[in-house]
Amino acid sequence: MIKPLNPKDLYRSCDPNQFTFETTADLEDLTEIIGQARAVEAIHFGTGIQQEGYNLFVIGSPETAKQAVIRQFLKRKAVTEPTPSDWCYVNNFSQPHKPHALRLPPGQGIILRRDVEQLIEELRTTIPAVFESENYRTRRQVIEEEFKERQDKAFKELEQQAKERGIALLQTPLGLAFAPMRRDRVLNPEEFQRLPESERKRIESEVAALQEQLQDIIRKIPQWEREIREKIKALNHEVVMFAVGHLIDELRKKYTVLPEVVSYLNALQQDISNNAEDFLRRPEEMPAFINIPESRFLTGASAFRRYQVNVIVDHSTAQGAPVVYEDYPTYQNLIGRIEHISQLGTLVTDFNLIKPGALHRANGGYLMLDAHKVLTQPFAWEGLKRVLRARKIHMTSLGQMLDLISTVSLEPEPIPLNVKVVLLGDQLLYYLLCQFDPEFNELFKVVVDFEERMDRTLENNLLYARLIGTLTRKEGLRPLERSAVARVIEHSARIVGDAEKLSTHIRRITDLLREANYWAGEAGHKIVNAFDVQRAIDAQIRRVDRIRERIQEEIQRGTILIDTDGEKIGQINGLSVIDLGQFAFGRPSRITARVRLGKGEVIDIEREVELGGPIHSKGVLILSSFLSTRYAIDKPLSLFASLVFEQSYNGVEGDSASSAELYALLSALAEVPIRQSLAVTGSVNQHGQVQAIGGVNEKIEGFFDICKARGLTGKQGVLIPASNVKHLMLRRDVVEAAAAGKFHIYPVETVDEGIEILTGIPAGERDETGNFPEGSINQRVEARLIALAEKRMALAASAKGENAHE
């Protein structure tokens, strides 16, 4: 018969003497990422390769602190990389709805903005001064007098010609007119009518000719005015160039290595020349955007907004490439947005209202995003994929894209994109995207898979100690002594549920260190010891174990029926785990089996009422296969068996109770009672091998707590799969009870080993003749099945005879 496990197999302690340090303050900071060799290799590859589509998708539990780890790694790498360019949007003077994007060296964006602001500020003083100068006034007066002289000369010549012909040129309320004249006196109509007809005809002919000359002069006046305006415009241009030229020449010389900036300055100079009158207006005469705050240097000059430089990406204080994490990845927060202002009931905008998105800020570096958040924001995922495919940031508002609004908008020049996008998600989300989004695999070719556990070796124990020291210094916590480090390592193994592994759930370990530091402070300790760590662990459990206590209380009160002594046929204590997120505990459940004559059916009542999950149902079906292929194989399986979890009102899932169900079924068939002081966990296959299950520690402790509350008798214990022994990290009180012989853990490999422990009767193996030993469990089961089969055949023959007689 299988013997109980030795107490040393129930808990793998961490010997503090393996460490040479006294406290974690003696240890160096850990700079590497422990337990994540595969992930680190993937990060190196993904951040190193520069070909298109090699963005990263990071898989792992949030407890692994993958975001902090990735960010720390990226920041270390980013510092060694060149700082990317600044980006600005400036006015496109020929097409204002299509602003130009300017790329400048790091830190030059705000310098250009300041230079242009200072230029405009100077011109607001210089241009009015030049236009008010004596030289300008004189030259303009000359041009204006030239026009006046030309006009006066034309009219004087016409007047002289008319006078020589006896005709006067008169100024009337209706304009210029001609009238006959005699002896320097204008004739009235009566006098004109008394003139000879030939004289009248001559005068009318002369007036007609003069009128034609007058019309010709009047037609030439607009042309002369245009010529004058052109001359004044040329003078103004000359004057403005004189005022602006040397100032802009200085800027052109300053930015001579940046052709795009020089082109912008040329266009700026031309627009200033064309709109010099804006500099001559008083501030209250300026057109303005309503409610738009003025530039710091251009107060009261909203008309000069077109000359501002909108710096959307500034790296003046950056060192290396940017690492950006966008916590709220909406479409606009990723791509950027174009804001609008309400002016007189209309939404208007200009290039100064272009706002950058996370992709702009991360351009030339790294952008970290939570995949789930991106996918749940409307249009964010499609927008992200579009810019990654195009490798350009094309800014389009959602309203414009969906044709929801019709307002004045902009078409900013796209900005080239060079960024590594790092998506953070879980395995399920990654596999779903691979399956259902054909573009995903083309854009995110590098998967970074974070491990949730690492090997528990002496070398890794020391690395873990350094990790603990690094975390305490980072959090400003008290150092830990060696025994406390050892207790944290032991608890880490318990978190992962494996005595041979350590958890890489850095967040949980950090929380434990914080809480241990608190309890050390409460106790007045300057250094955290093992007692402080244990107190923190106990306090964590205490805060979340209310439901466990209620269930155990109901078991003690007899509301939930669980036996821990005596023997029963077809009844056994199965074990399950209830997971409450950060806390899981074991719960014993009574499993019963009933058998009678039937057609070879094993009924899972949980499945029949749709409380059993598919994996649990699979385990029950395996029991049918086990019975039909092991016992009385030359006879039809002729039983009707029912299995049920008693007092189960919620769903049942998993196959960890399939061995317990089989034991109950064998007990019912063999009519042999099972010891109720034992509980069972483990799945079983068709060959009767007991297989490993999860949550073995919680299950053992769940049954132990019930037994301890009722009083340990030395006969109580739990049967577990032998393959789960390496996972045992049981509580101290369980280990101490086992060492005192009051509680036992039995490792079993087969159903035969388990049934012997549960019944105290050998299972039995077939001899040379193919028969099981008399009185063994297997012999009794086979005999019962044969009897049921023969009875079924006899009933069938009798029914057939009665039908033939009729």
Side-chain angles (χ1 to χ4, degrees), residues 7 26 28 44 184 214 273 333 358 407 413 459 466 490 530 575 673 753:
D26 302 331
E28 296 179 354
H44 275 292
D184 298 328
L214 176 61
S273 175
N333 285 351
T407 62
E413 182 181 353
E459 180 183 0
R466 290 178 59 193
E490 292 168 356
L575 296 172
E753 294 177 353

Side-chain angles (χ1 to χ4, degrees), residues 11-16 18-19 456 461 485-487 489-490:
Y11 187 87
R12 181 179 170 185
S13 300
C14 179
D15 185 6
Q18 67 181 285
F19 302 123
R456 184 179 173 184
N461 284 350
V485 171
R487 184 66 190 95
I489 289 175
E490 292 168 356

Side-chain angles (χ1 to χ4, degrees), residues 40 71 93 148 158 164 197 217 240 245 270 283 325 327 365 370 432 535 552 559 622 741 748 779:
V40 170
R71 181 180 292 184
F93 297 105
K148 186 177 180 180
L158 180 61
E164 291 174 354
E197 182 178 354
I217 293 172
V240 171
Q270 185 62 44
Y325 175 74
D327 184 58
D370 186 291
L432 288 173
R535 190 174 179 186
Q552 291 179 354
T559 307
I622 288 174
V748 297
Q779 184 271 329

Side-chain angles (χ1 to χ4, degrees), residues 89 410 490 589 616:
Y89 272 112
L410 303 177
E490 292 168 356
S589 299
H616 177 260

Side-chain angles (χ1 to χ4, degrees), residues 15 52 101 109 193 203-204 289 304 361 440 473 570 606 737:
D15 185 6
E52 183 178 355
Q193 289 299 327
I203 291 174
E204 289 174 353
F289 280 125
F304 299 136
R361 300 194 304 272
F440 175 74
R473 282 187 287 272
E606 311 294 333

Side-chain angles (χ1 to χ4, degrees), residues 1 43 61 168 183 249 305 344 351 421 442 483 497 528 664 778:
M1 184 176 291
I43 296 172
S61 166
R183 298 184 184 91
D249 286 342
R305 286 175 59 85
L344 301 178
F351 70 95
V421 177
E442 293 298 319
S483 63
V528 179
N778 287 330

Side-chain angles (χ1 to χ4, degrees), residues 91 109 140-141 147 203 270 310 316 339 500 543 678 788:
N91 193 12
R140 178 166 182 151
Q141 186 176 358
F147 167 73
I203 291 174
Q270 185 62 44
N310 183 11
S316 57
E339 295 182 344
E500 299 175 356
R543 291 194 294 270
L678 298 175
L788 290 172

Side-chain angles (χ1 to χ4, degrees), residues 408-428:
V408 177
S409 191
L410 303 177
E411 298 177 23
E413 182 181 353
I415 291 179
L417 180 65
N418 177 27
V419 68
K420 282 285 184 182
V421 177
V422 181
L423 286 182
L424 307 170
D426 54 37
Q427 288 185 339
L428 178 60

